[in-house]
Structure formats: structure tokens, C-alpha cells
Amino acid sequence: MGNMKQKKKFYKLSGQSIIEFALVFPILLLLIFGAMDIGRLFYYKIVLTNAAREGANYLAYHTDPELNPNNNKYTTELASTYEVIEAEGENFNIDIIVEGENKEVDILLGDCTSSTKCLSGEQIGIKITKEIGLVLGGILQSFGLVSGPITVSSIIYMVVI
């Protein structure tokens, strides 16, 4: 007789646990995917910062004293800088678009563009901006928390050697 009461109690509890799981599972998924999105944003920020640092470092060491936008040496050094930035992004499986209509890289030459020489001690910078779509982007947009992809950018300045 005692066995039958225990069996009935067990069946009632198993239904309750399924209902509890069904209620908690969507919240658990939101937390997991939200943590993944935040992790991806940090990952992209670190990679973009590293790529900008490598590009700025390369350009600071390989800047010709006669660097100006009107000579061929300038375009050769910028092309090499773009290659360094692309290579750094590819090391981490991120495509950084350096040329074209949708380019994500800007080279900030500071005073070098207004004068005919880029002198030692002047700053040269690299700015990389990338839009990142979130896994939970649609849900966040429906609540009005974001209005589209998140933009992550990094700016690094180096002094010309």
C-alpha cells in the first residue's frame, strides 16, 4: 500500500520538473548566447587592436623621411602596411577589409599630409572599424536595445622613428 502512494508522488513530481525545465530553459539559452556575444565582442576588439598596433608599428618604422601623398614610395609603404594589417587579422580568422568601398582601415598621418616630410617624432595612427552581427541581435532589436550590428573600433598611434 505504501508503495502505491510513493509511485503516485513520483509521477506528479516528474511532470513538475518538465514544466520547470520548460520555463527555465529559454532564460538559460539567453544567458549562454549573451555570454557568447560578449565574448565575441571582446575577441574582435583584441584582434582589431593587435592589427592596428602591427600596422602602426610597421608604418612608424618604415616611413620614408620624404613620405607624402604625391610620390610612389608613399603608396608602396601604405600597401605594405595594409598587408601587415590583413595578415594579422587572418592569423585570428577575421577578415579586415583594407581597400574598396567598404574598407575598414583608415591611416591617420597627422602632420605628414600637410608637409612634405614625415619627421621623426610625429605621430602616425591606424584606425580599424568593424561591424559585428550578434547572435541575439534580432531579440535585442525587438526590445529596442540595439539598432543593428555593433560597431567595434580601435585606434593606435605610434611615433615615427
Side-chain angles (χ1 to χ4, degrees):
M1 192 82 146
N3 254 347
M4 299 242 334
K5 285 184 182 181
Q6 287 178 352
K7 285 183 182 180
K8 280 185 179 182
K9 193 174 188 179
F10 176 74
Y11 289 127
K12 287 180 183 178
L13 291 178
S14 66
Q16 178 184 353
S17 63
I18 290 173
I19 300 277
E20 288 174 354
F21 179 75
L23 292 173
V24 172
F25 186 67
I27 297 169
L28 184 63
L29 282 179
L30 285 175
L31 290 173
I32 290 170
F33 287 126
M36 286 173 48
D37 276 342
I38 291 171
R40 282 182 54 235
L41 288 173
F42 279 118
Y43 180 76
Y44 272 84
K45 178 67 174 175
I46 290 169
V47 171
L48 295 181
T49 300
N50 286 341
R53 185 178 298 118
E54 287 295 322
N57 189 31
Y58 179 86
L59 194 57
Y61 278 99
H62 294 90
T63 299
D64 189 346
E66 297 293 327
L67 178 67
N68 68 49
N70 300 321
N71 64 21
N72 291 336
K73 182 80 171 163
Y74 175 81
T75 56
T76 303
E77 289 176 353
L78 291 185
S80 298
T81 303
Y82 287 142
E83 288 175 11
V84 168
I85 293 169
E86 277 183 324
E88 186 67 23
E90 286 174 8
N91 285 340
F92 296 97
N93 295 326
I94 293 179
D95 293 327
I96 299 174
I97 303 168
V98 296
E99 294 177 322
E101 193 175 300
N102 298 326
K103 83 176 195 175
E104 300 167 334
V105 178
D106 291 321
I107 295 183
L108 312 170
L109 293 174
D111 295 336
C112 296
T113 56
S114 62
S115 67
T116 58
K117 294 186 177 184
C118 195
L119 303 173
S120 179
E122 292 181 335
Q123 288 187 347
I124 291 178
I126 303 287
K127 177 181 179 183
I128 303 176
T129 305
K130 190 157 188 72
E131 288 187 352
I132 302 165
L134 301 176
V135 174
L136 295 177
I139 294 171
L140 295 175
Q141 283 179 358
S142 66
F143 287 120
L145 298 174
V146 296
S147 60
I150 302 292
T151 302
V152 176
S153 66
S154 183
I155 301 174
I156 299 291
Y157 287 95
M158 295 265 177
V159 176
V160 175
I161 303 293

